[in-house]
Amino acid sequence: MQVMVAESAGFCGGVHRSMEMARRALEQGECWCLGPLIHNAAALKALQAQGLHIAETIEEIPAGARVLIRAHGVPDMVRAALRERAAEVIDTTCPRVQHVHDLVLQAAAQGRIPVVVGEADHPEIRAVTSSCSAAVVCRDDRELAEWLMQDGENHKRPLTVVFQTTQTRKIIVNCEILLKKECTNFQMFDTMCNATSVRQKEAARLAAECSAMIVIGDRHSANSRRLAEICREHCSRVQFIPDAAALDCQALRGCRTVGVTAGASAPSWIIKEVKQKMCDEIRANETPIETETEKSFEELLEESIKTIYNGDTVTGVVAAITPTEISVDLGTKHSGYIPVTEYCDDPNVKVEELVKVGDPIQAVVVRVNDVEGTVMLSKKRLDAVKFWADIEAAKEEGTIVEGTVTEENKGGVVVSVSGVRVFVPASQSGLPKEAAMSELMGQKVRLKITEVNRGRRRVVGSIRAVLNKERKEKAEKIWNEIEIGKHYEGVVKSMTSYGAFVDIGGIDGMVHVSELSWSRIKQPSDVLSVGDHVNVYVLGFDKENRKISLGYRNPDENPWARFMAQYQVGSVAKVKIVKLMTFGAFAEVLPGVDGLIHISQIANRRIGQPSEVLSVGDEVEAKITAIDPDKQKISLSIRALSEPEPAPRKEEVHEEPRGMEADALVYEVSATGEATGNAPEADAE
């Protein structure tokens, strides 16, 4: 017969912590406990022999007594009652259980409905629900489904779902599937204890491999009962016993392999007694016993409680993953965890995409907390040690490395490159002098290592060197491929009164103000702002002097082209008066295209000022009497749409307007269609 003992068998970190605190307290005198400190009759009897008293109600506890709060925790009202009795409280509440309490109370404070998936009569759940009357308890995913459908509205309400720390992984997974399918506003926290998860997985594996299973634990212990249930799912011969006296060795006859596991409340000496009884029984029948390995059971127990020190490199298995940390099974009584910030530098990375439950993982010990039974680990710091050689090689070879900006300090920023801190001076950051270093925080950057001092653990790098190199390479590529009309995506770098400078990828080109818009603008800032991403095209370039002229306005939106396609001489258009002058009125035919209505063409009578008939903003119909395509000028006439008047008695000559009005003025054309150079005539009357 081969006997295989689960490495995770026995006390979890929380129970171990509770028992140690109780032992130290009892060394100083008698103590009281509200309910059994541990779900194990033999262990509890041993504590009572040392002076522990079990009380069912607070009234049984004498005033001023020393009181142990068990690992399951108690409601706030119980703590208040103990304070009223002047009790000296020794709180052994498991940190993971306390986390469940905190989540439930936080949810209630936020107006959310706390939902606890677990056994309603279990001390842990009673403590949670007593502290928060709004909490809803569902035994498993089936009860959760029933509750969600009770009134047809529960699935729409804001829910915060937590789990009993000894819950099974199967129920948690089923609940998550149900919530994602049915609920529109929920938060779910996987509060199952890591030690419980590891113990259940190992029990399932052993049960599938062995002919029989021995589960050691008290029937009042929820995690022990679940271990037995899991083993029965994989093995038909399971004994669920509290101690060695209850072991039926006869029932194990004929079994080639026997697996042994134990709940979180089973002391190591009870596990050892069960193992010893199996050995004695087999020896009595002269049947040799083989262990899973060459190590003795005592050696396995010794390994499970081995001491871990800060700075040690340890290897474990990923037990669970949450948004904030990775739980690691180290094969010891300590619960290992790696904060996400100690796994990698990227704050946006999804850890579950990088590592999976069950993966082996190596890390360095950052801090050991014997009181809470936890070990903080760091993969990032271990990687940093390994990557020092790579950093030195990058400096020697001039290799470009990539990292994440994690800090801003005096004079520059710190970039984490595979866990190694690299200082980048402000002058080498690649940012303008007036820019704040905080602009780089959290960004992934490429840099060149310029200095390495391993003795002082100092590394200096330059982002600017990489940017300059890349910019130079891009500039050469552009000059080799540039041609008139080619389009580029660029960024507006600066502006002047006469135009905007655009970086098209290593080279700055200029967009003249006249090329920014088809309509009249006063300054470039009317159209663009520094930092804008724009699409520009090449109007001209000078490779020798390294100058590029760019266009921004869309040729397809040329208003003159649209006018020429839509109108011709003789067409009637509805125009809008935009400006009045002494010699006539300017009218908008299309946005961006204006024509001149000479004063003589405004009315079929003589007028002194255009304002006698027209006002800015008026919309009137006018006939197009002349078009000069080269100068893009148009002559309009309102008078031509009315009855013609007799010819004027004498010809009047009007001076040509100057300045802006002259540019927009449309001259009359001769009978052959050529510009005469004369302004349109007015009546002499």
Side-chain angles (χ1 to χ4, degrees), residues 1 23 108 137 141 152 181 221 223 271 324 391 428 432 465 486 497 528 538 546 567 584 605 648 666 670 673 679:
M1 180 187 294
R23 181 184 59 78
V137 180
D141 52 299
K181 180 180 179 182
S221 169
N223 74 86
I271 301 173
T324 58
I391 291 292
Q428 298 300 313
K486 189 168 185 177
S497 59
L528 298 176
V538 179
R546 298 278 167 157
Y567 296 100
R605 59 184 175 82
V666 178
S670 66

PDB file of all heavy atoms in Angstrom, residues 1 23 108 137 141 152 181 221 223 271 324 391 428 432 465 486 497 528 538 546 567 584 605 648 666 670 673 679:
ATOM      1  N   MET A   1       0.842  -1.199   0.000  1.00  0.00           N
ATOM      2  CA  MET A   1       0.000   0.000   0.000  1.00  0.00           C
ATOM      3  C   MET A   1       0.876   1.247   0.000  1.00  0.00           C
ATOM      4  O   MET A   1       1.874   1.313   0.696  1.00  0.00           O
ATOM      5  CB  MET A   1      -0.911   0.007   1.231  1.00  0.00           C
ATOM      6  CG  MET A   1      -1.821   1.228   1.315  1.00  0.00           C
ATOM      7  SD  MET A   1      -2.712   1.301   2.868  1.00  0.00           S
ATOM      8  CE  MET A   1      -3.751  -0.142   2.721  1.00  0.00           C
ATOM      9  N   ARG A  23      -2.405  30.462  22.567  1.00  0.00           N
ATOM     10  CA  ARG A  23      -1.387  29.828  23.412  1.00  0.00           C
ATOM     11  C   ARG A  23      -0.617  30.856  24.223  1.00  0.00           C
ATOM     12  O   ARG A  23      -0.396  30.688  25.429  1.00  0.00           O
ATOM     13  CB  ARG A  23      -0.432  29.016  22.530  1.00  0.00           C
ATOM     14  CG  ARG A  23       0.659  28.281  23.298  1.00  0.00           C
ATOM     15  CD  ARG A  23       1.610  27.583  22.344  1.00  0.00           C
ATOM     16  NE  ARG A  23       2.246  28.531  21.424  1.00  0.00           N
ATOM     17  CZ  ARG A  23       3.259  29.318  21.770  1.00  0.00           C
ATOM     18  NH1 ARG A  23       3.741  29.294  23.024  1.00  0.00           N
ATOM     19  NH2 ARG A  23       3.789  30.142  20.895  1.00  0.00           N
ATOM     20  N   ALA A 108     -22.676  48.315   1.676  1.00  0.00           N
ATOM     21  CA  ALA A 108     -23.881  48.884   2.275  1.00  0.00           C
ATOM     22  C   ALA A 108     -23.779  50.407   2.365  1.00  0.00           C
ATOM     23  O   ALA A 108     -24.752  51.124   2.115  1.00  0.00           O
ATOM     24  CB  ALA A 108     -24.110  48.283   3.654  1.00  0.00           C
ATOM     25  N   VAL A 137     -27.948  36.373   2.215  1.00  0.00           N
ATOM     26  CA  VAL A 137     -27.133  35.161   2.239  1.00  0.00           C
ATOM     27  C   VAL A 137     -27.748  34.110   1.321  1.00  0.00           C
ATOM     28  O   VAL A 137     -28.938  33.810   1.420  1.00  0.00           O
ATOM     29  CB  VAL A 137     -27.004  34.598   3.667  1.00  0.00           C
ATOM     30  CG1 VAL A 137     -26.142  33.330   3.659  1.00  0.00           C
ATOM     31  CG2 VAL A 137     -26.407  35.640   4.600  1.00  0.00           C
ATOM     32  N   ASP A 141     -24.827  28.796  -5.790  1.00  0.00           N
ATOM     33  CA  ASP A 141     -25.261  29.467  -7.017  1.00  0.00           C
ATOM     34  C   ASP A 141     -26.737  29.219  -7.311  1.00  0.00           C
ATOM     35  O   ASP A 141     -27.408  30.066  -7.910  1.00  0.00           O
ATOM     36  CB  ASP A 141     -24.403  29.017  -8.199  1.00  0.00           C
ATOM     37  CG  ASP A 141     -24.320  27.504  -8.330  1.00  0.00           C
ATOM     38  OD1 ASP A 141     -23.825  26.852  -7.390  1.00  0.00           O
ATOM     39  OD2 ASP A 141     -24.744  26.967  -9.365  1.00  0.00           O
ATOM     40  N   GLY A 152     -38.167  39.794  -9.841  1.00  0.00           N
ATOM     41  CA  GLY A 152     -37.904  40.277 -11.186  1.00  0.00           C
ATOM     42  C   GLY A 152     -37.084  41.551 -11.248  1.00  0.00           C
ATOM     43  O   GLY A 152     -36.791  42.057 -12.329  1.00  0.00           O
ATOM     44  N   LYS A 181     -24.413  36.705 -16.701  1.00  0.00           N
ATOM     45  CA  LYS A 181     -25.536  36.437 -17.600  1.00  0.00           C
ATOM     46  C   LYS A 181     -26.794  37.203 -17.198  1.00  0.00           C
ATOM     47  O   LYS A 181     -27.526  37.718 -18.057  1.00  0.00           O
ATOM     48  CB  LYS A 181     -25.823  34.932 -17.617  1.00  0.00           C
ATOM     49  CG  LYS A 181     -26.977  34.539 -18.533  1.00  0.00           C
ATOM     50  CD  LYS A 181     -27.204  33.032 -18.495  1.00  0.00           C
ATOM     51  CE  LYS A 181     -28.386  32.642 -19.385  1.00  0.00           C
ATOM     52  NZ  LYS A 181     -28.650  31.177 -19.322  1.00  0.00           N
ATOM     53  N   SER A 221     -16.749  21.758  11.048  1.00  0.00           N
ATOM     54  CA  SER A 221     -15.863  22.600  10.244  1.00  0.00           C
ATOM     55  C   SER A 221     -16.343  22.609   8.797  1.00  0.00           C
ATOM     56  O   SER A 221     -16.379  21.574   8.132  1.00  0.00           O
ATOM     57  CB  SER A 221     -14.420  22.068  10.313  1.00  0.00           C
ATOM     58  OG  SER A 221     -13.605  22.713   9.360  1.00  0.00           O
ATOM     59  N   ASN A 223     -14.937  23.905   6.081  1.00  0.00           N
ATOM     60  CA  ASN A 223     -13.930  23.573   5.072  1.00  0.00           C
ATOM     61  C   ASN A 223     -13.618  22.085   5.077  1.00  0.00           C
ATOM     62  O   ASN A 223     -13.325  21.500   4.026  1.00  0.00           O
ATOM     63  CB  ASN A 223     -12.662  24.418   5.270  1.00  0.00           C
ATOM     64  CG  ASN A 223     -11.830  23.975   6.455  1.00  0.00           C
ATOM     65  OD1 ASN A 223     -10.999  23.093   6.354  1.00  0.00           O
ATOM     66  ND2 ASN A 223     -12.045  24.624   7.605  1.00  0.00           N
ATOM     67  N   ILE A 271      -3.043  14.593  12.716  1.00  0.00           N
ATOM     68  CA  ILE A 271      -2.686  14.013  11.418  1.00  0.00           C
ATOM     69  C   ILE A 271      -1.610  12.944  11.615  1.00  0.00           C
ATOM     70  O   ILE A 271      -1.663  11.857  11.020  1.00  0.00           O
ATOM     71  CB  ILE A 271      -2.179  15.115  10.464  1.00  0.00           C
ATOM     72  CG1 ILE A 271      -3.243  16.194  10.263  1.00  0.00           C
ATOM     73  CG2 ILE A 271      -1.778  14.526   9.110  1.00  0.00           C
ATOM     74  CD1 ILE A 271      -2.773  17.402   9.473  1.00  0.00           C
ATOM     75  N   THR A 324      -5.896  43.078  -7.661  1.00  0.00           N
ATOM     76  CA  THR A 324      -4.832  43.770  -6.935  1.00  0.00           C
ATOM     77  C   THR A 324      -3.640  42.898  -6.575  1.00  0.00           C
ATOM     78  O   THR A 324      -2.575  43.425  -6.282  1.00  0.00           O
ATOM     79  CB  THR A 324      -5.394  44.370  -5.626  1.00  0.00           C
ATOM     80  OG1 THR A 324      -5.969  43.313  -4.830  1.00  0.00           O
ATOM     81  CG2 THR A 324      -6.463  45.413  -5.935  1.00  0.00           C
ATOM     82  N   ILE A 391      21.262  44.947 -18.813  1.00  0.00           N
ATOM     83  CA  ILE A 391      21.419  46.401 -18.828  1.00  0.00           C
ATOM     84  C   ILE A 391      22.856  46.790 -19.172  1.00  0.00           C
ATOM     85  O   ILE A 391      23.108  47.702 -19.967  1.00  0.00           O
ATOM     86  CB  ILE A 391      21.003  47.005 -17.467  1.00  0.00           C
ATOM     87  CG1 ILE A 391      19.493  46.875 -17.259  1.00  0.00           C
ATOM     88  CG2 ILE A 391      21.439  48.457 -17.354  1.00  0.00           C
ATOM     89  CD1 ILE A 391      18.663  47.726 -18.186  1.00  0.00           C
ATOM     90  N   GLN A 428      17.489  64.975 -21.056  1.00  0.00           N
ATOM     91  CA  GLN A 428      17.488  63.808 -21.935  1.00  0.00           C
ATOM     92  C   GLN A 428      16.105  63.172 -22.054  1.00  0.00           C
ATOM     93  O   GLN A 428      15.960  62.066 -22.569  1.00  0.00           O
ATOM     94  CB  GLN A 428      18.474  62.761 -21.405  1.00  0.00           C
ATOM     95  CG  GLN A 428      19.913  63.229 -21.352  1.00  0.00           C
ATOM     96  CD  GLN A 428      20.430  63.629 -22.722  1.00  0.00           C
ATOM     97  OE1 GLN A 428      20.242  62.921 -23.693  1.00  0.00           O
ATOM     98  NE2 GLN A 428      21.093  64.781 -22.794  1.00  0.00           N
ATOM     99  N   PRO A 432      10.176  69.452 -24.350  1.00  0.00           N
ATOM    100  CA  PRO A 432      10.624  70.852 -24.400  1.00  0.00           C
ATOM    101  C   PRO A 432      10.971  71.350 -22.997  1.00  0.00           C
ATOM    102  O   PRO A 432      10.486  70.801 -21.994  1.00  0.00           O
ATOM    103  CB  PRO A 432       9.406  71.588 -24.970  1.00  0.00           C
ATOM    104  CG  PRO A 432       8.598  70.543 -25.673  1.00  0.00           C
ATOM    105  CD  PRO A 432       8.812  69.277 -24.904  1.00  0.00           C
ATOM    106  N   ALA A 465      18.136  60.699 -26.981  1.00  0.00           N
ATOM    107  CA  ALA A 465      19.057  60.107 -27.958  1.00  0.00           C
ATOM    108  C   ALA A 465      18.315  59.200 -28.933  1.00  0.00           C
ATOM    109  O   ALA A 465      18.602  59.190 -30.134  1.00  0.00           O
ATOM    110  CB  ALA A 465      20.142  59.319 -27.230  1.00  0.00           C
ATOM    111  N   LYS A 486       2.027  64.882 -52.404  1.00  0.00           N
ATOM    112  CA  LYS A 486       1.996  63.760 -51.472  1.00  0.00           C
ATOM    113  C   LYS A 486       1.439  64.200 -50.118  1.00  0.00           C
ATOM    114  O   LYS A 486       1.784  65.259 -49.610  1.00  0.00           O
ATOM    115  CB  LYS A 486       3.393  63.175 -51.289  1.00  0.00           C
ATOM    116  CG  LYS A 486       3.406  61.870 -50.512  1.00  0.00           C
ATOM    117  CD  LYS A 486       4.766  61.180 -50.596  1.00  0.00           C
ATOM    118  CE  LYS A 486       4.724  59.817 -49.920  1.00  0.00           C
ATOM    119  NZ  LYS A 486       6.014  59.109 -50.047  1.00  0.00           N
ATOM    120  N   SER A 497       2.436  84.695 -37.320  1.00  0.00           N
ATOM    121  CA  SER A 497       1.364  85.500 -37.906  1.00  0.00           C
ATOM    122  C   SER A 497       1.134  85.149 -39.375  1.00  0.00           C
ATOM    123  O   SER A 497       0.065  85.401 -39.926  1.00  0.00           O
ATOM    124  CB  SER A 497       1.701  86.986 -37.788  1.00  0.00           C
ATOM    125  OG  SER A 497       2.929  87.260 -38.462  1.00  0.00           O
ATOM    126  N   LEU A 528      -6.176  76.530 -36.637  1.00  0.00           N
ATOM    127  CA  LEU A 528      -5.403  75.463 -35.996  1.00  0.00           C
ATOM    128  C   LEU A 528      -4.925  75.864 -34.607  1.00  0.00           C
ATOM    129  O   LEU A 528      -4.903  77.050 -34.257  1.00  0.00           O
ATOM    130  CB  LEU A 528      -4.185  75.099 -36.853  1.00  0.00           C
ATOM    131  CG  LEU A 528      -4.448  74.544 -38.259  1.00  0.00           C
ATOM    132  CD1 LEU A 528      -3.134  74.347 -38.986  1.00  0.00           C
ATOM    133  CD2 LEU A 528      -5.228  73.240 -38.195  1.00  0.00           C
ATOM    134  N   VAL A 538       2.078  68.281 -49.935  1.00  0.00           N
ATOM    135  CA  VAL A 538       3.251  69.051 -50.353  1.00  0.00           C
ATOM    136  C   VAL A 538       2.901  69.945 -51.527  1.00  0.00           C
ATOM    137  O   VAL A 538       2.417  69.479 -52.569  1.00  0.00           O
ATOM    138  CB  VAL A 538       4.406  68.111 -50.736  1.00  0.00           C
ATOM    139  CG1 VAL A 538       5.620  68.920 -51.198  1.00  0.00           C
ATOM    140  CG2 VAL A 538       4.778  67.225 -49.558  1.00  0.00           C
ATOM    141  N   ARG A 546      16.502  72.487 -47.372  1.00  0.00           N
ATOM    142  CA  ARG A 546      15.664  71.721 -46.429  1.00  0.00           C
ATOM    143  C   ARG A 546      14.408  72.490 -46.033  1.00  0.00           C
ATOM    144  O   ARG A 546      14.111  72.680 -44.851  1.00  0.00           O
ATOM    145  CB  ARG A 546      16.463  71.353 -45.179  1.00  0.00           C
ATOM    146  CG  ARG A 546      17.663  70.465 -45.465  1.00  0.00           C
ATOM    147  CD  ARG A 546      17.251  69.023 -45.591  1.00  0.00           C
ATOM    148  NE  ARG A 546      18.284  68.166 -46.150  1.00  0.00           N
ATOM    149  CZ  ARG A 546      18.352  66.844 -45.962  1.00  0.00           C
ATOM    150  NH1 ARG A 546      17.427  66.260 -45.225  1.00  0.00           N
ATOM    151  NH2 ARG A 546      19.292  66.125 -46.525  1.00  0.00           N
ATOM    152  N   TYR A 567     -22.675  78.048 -61.984  1.00  0.00           N
ATOM    153  CA  TYR A 567     -23.200  79.275 -62.593  1.00  0.00           C
ATOM    154  C   TYR A 567     -22.445  79.645 -63.869  1.00  0.00           C
ATOM    155  O   TYR A 567     -21.303  79.197 -64.094  1.00  0.00           O
ATOM    156  CB  TYR A 567     -23.110  80.440 -61.601  1.00  0.00           C
ATOM    157  CG  TYR A 567     -23.951  80.263 -60.362  1.00  0.00           C
ATOM    158  CD1 TYR A 567     -23.376  79.828 -59.159  1.00  0.00           C
ATOM    159  CD2 TYR A 567     -25.319  80.538 -60.384  1.00  0.00           C
ATOM    160  CE1 TYR A 567     -24.141  79.669 -58.021  1.00  0.00           C
ATOM    161  CE2 TYR A 567     -26.089  80.382 -59.241  1.00  0.00           C
ATOM    162  CZ  TYR A 567     -25.503  79.947 -58.071  1.00  0.00           C
ATOM    163  OH  TYR A 567     -26.267  79.797 -56.941  1.00  0.00           O
ATOM    164  N   GLY A 584     -20.781 100.728 -54.557  1.00  0.00           N
ATOM    165  CA  GLY A 584     -21.613  99.561 -54.782  1.00  0.00           C
ATOM    166  C   GLY A 584     -21.710  98.674 -53.551  1.00  0.00           C
ATOM    167  O   GLY A 584     -21.373  99.086 -52.433  1.00  0.00           O
ATOM    168  N   ARG A 605     -33.245 103.289 -60.957  1.00  0.00           N
ATOM    169  CA  ARG A 605     -33.318 104.728 -60.773  1.00  0.00           C
ATOM    170  C   ARG A 605     -31.988 105.182 -60.184  1.00  0.00           C
ATOM    171  O   ARG A 605     -31.225 104.371 -59.670  1.00  0.00           O
ATOM    172  CB  ARG A 605     -34.459 105.104 -59.817  1.00  0.00           C
ATOM    173  CG  ARG A 605     -34.353 104.496 -58.454  1.00  0.00           C
ATOM    174  CD  ARG A 605     -35.558 104.815 -57.586  1.00  0.00           C
ATOM    175  NE  ARG A 605     -35.496 104.124 -56.316  1.00  0.00           N
ATOM    176  CZ  ARG A 605     -34.806 104.530 -55.258  1.00  0.00           C
ATOM    177  NH1 ARG A 605     -34.105 105.663 -55.321  1.00  0.00           N
ATOM    178  NH2 ARG A 605     -34.840 103.833 -54.134  1.00  0.00           N
ATOM    179  N   PRO A 648     -28.614 106.502 -70.238  1.00  0.00           N
ATOM    180  CA  PRO A 648     -28.238 107.726 -69.524  1.00  0.00           C
ATOM    181  C   PRO A 648     -27.817 108.822 -70.494  1.00  0.00           C
ATOM    182  O   PRO A 648     -27.319 108.562 -71.573  1.00  0.00           O
ATOM    183  CB  PRO A 648     -27.071 107.272 -68.652  1.00  0.00           C
ATOM    184  CG  PRO A 648     -26.540 106.058 -69.323  1.00  0.00           C
ATOM    185  CD  PRO A 648     -27.704 105.397 -69.961  1.00  0.00           C
ATOM    186  N   VAL A 666     -15.261  93.741 -59.605  1.00  0.00           N
ATOM    187  CA  VAL A 666     -15.377  93.057 -60.890  1.00  0.00           C
ATOM    188  C   VAL A 666     -15.502  94.104 -61.979  1.00  0.00           C
ATOM    189  O   VAL A 666     -16.379  94.971 -61.923  1.00  0.00           O
ATOM    190  CB  VAL A 666     -16.609  92.123 -60.907  1.00  0.00           C
ATOM    191  CG1 VAL A 666     -16.738  91.455 -62.263  1.00  0.00           C
ATOM    192  CG2 VAL A 666     -16.484  91.115 -59.803  1.00  0.00           C
ATOM    193  N   SER A 670     -15.893  93.806 -72.512  1.00  0.00           N
ATOM    194  CA  SER A 670     -16.278  94.342 -73.825  1.00  0.00           C
ATOM    195  C   SER A 670     -17.181  93.358 -74.530  1.00  0.00           C
ATOM    196  O   SER A 670     -17.483  92.281 -74.018  1.00  0.00           O
ATOM    197  CB  SER A 670     -15.019  94.604 -74.650  1.00  0.00           C
ATOM    198  OG  SER A 670     -14.397  93.354 -74.935  1.00  0.00           O
ATOM    199  N   GLY A 673     -15.856  90.023 -74.791  1.00  0.00           N
ATOM    200  CA  GLY A 673     -15.662  89.261 -73.554  1.00  0.00           C
ATOM    201  C   GLY A 673     -14.382  89.562 -72.839  1.00  0.00           C
ATOM    202  O   GLY A 673     -14.033  88.902 -71.863  1.00  0.00           O
ATOM    203  N   ALA A 679     -14.750 100.550 -64.486  1.00  0.00           N
ATOM    204  CA  ALA A 679     -15.794 100.122 -63.563  1.00  0.00           C
ATOM    205  C   ALA A 679     -17.131 100.211 -64.271  1.00  0.00           C
ATOM    206  O   ALA A 679     -17.285 100.969 -65.231  1.00  0.00           O
ATOM    207  CB  ALA A 679     -15.787 101.014 -62.327  1.00  0.00           C
TER     208      ALA A 679
END
